[in-house]
Amino acid sequence: MARLPARNYGSTIAQRAALTKAIERGPTPELNGVVRWRLCDLVQWLWLEFRVSVNEQTLSRKVRATGDRQLRAPQTSRAGLQRAHIACDDSRDCS
């Protein structure tokens, strides 16, 4: 009896690129319901986008392999922080 060819369970290049882009962009709170990516959130996002089921530990290895050691909120630029500070000074109601 001939063996069937092995099925590729790995992600495609397009899926890996989309995952990297999503991590760099960060979540959209209105759409994703979170303000910061966690592995469980990314697992759910991958299922909703591509119908791919991934274990959190496997996803963690993939994320670390791309160079993102920690999932973090998108960084705000220095100019954005300065504008927020000026707006706060102008309103005088900041705490």
Side-chain angles (χ1 to χ4, degrees):
M1 180 181 267
R3 291 181 61 169
L4 296 174
R7 183 172 175 197
N8 182 8
Y9 288 100
S11 57
T12 65
I13 294 172
Q15 291 169 348
R16 280 181 269 165
L19 176 63
T20 302
K21 192 173 187 178
I23 291 172
E24 290 173 355
R25 183 181 57 235
T28 305
E30 299 83 24
L31 297 175
N32 305 114
V34 294
V35 294
R36 178 181 185 154
W37 285 128
R38 298 173 298 175
L39 287 173
C40 59
D41 300 324
L42 286 172
V43 167
Q44 183 180 7
W45 180 83
L46 282 169
W47 176 254
L48 293 174
E49 289 292 317
F50 301 108
R51 293 291 189 233
V52 174
S53 179
V54 180
N55 185 345
E56 286 184 26
Q57 187 174 5
T58 303
L59 184 60
S60 175
R61 282 195 302 266
K62 298 286 186 186
V63 169
R64 278 186 279 132
T66 62
D68 290 324
R69 289 279 178 195
Q70 295 178 341
L71 300 175
R72 57 196 171 280
Q75 294 184 356
T76 305
S77 68
R78 183 176 291 253
L81 290 174
Q82 288 174 346
R83 283 193 301 269
H85 182 70
I86 291 170
C88 183
D89 287 345
D90 290 344
S91 68
R92 302 285 185 214
D93 291 331
C94 299
S95 41

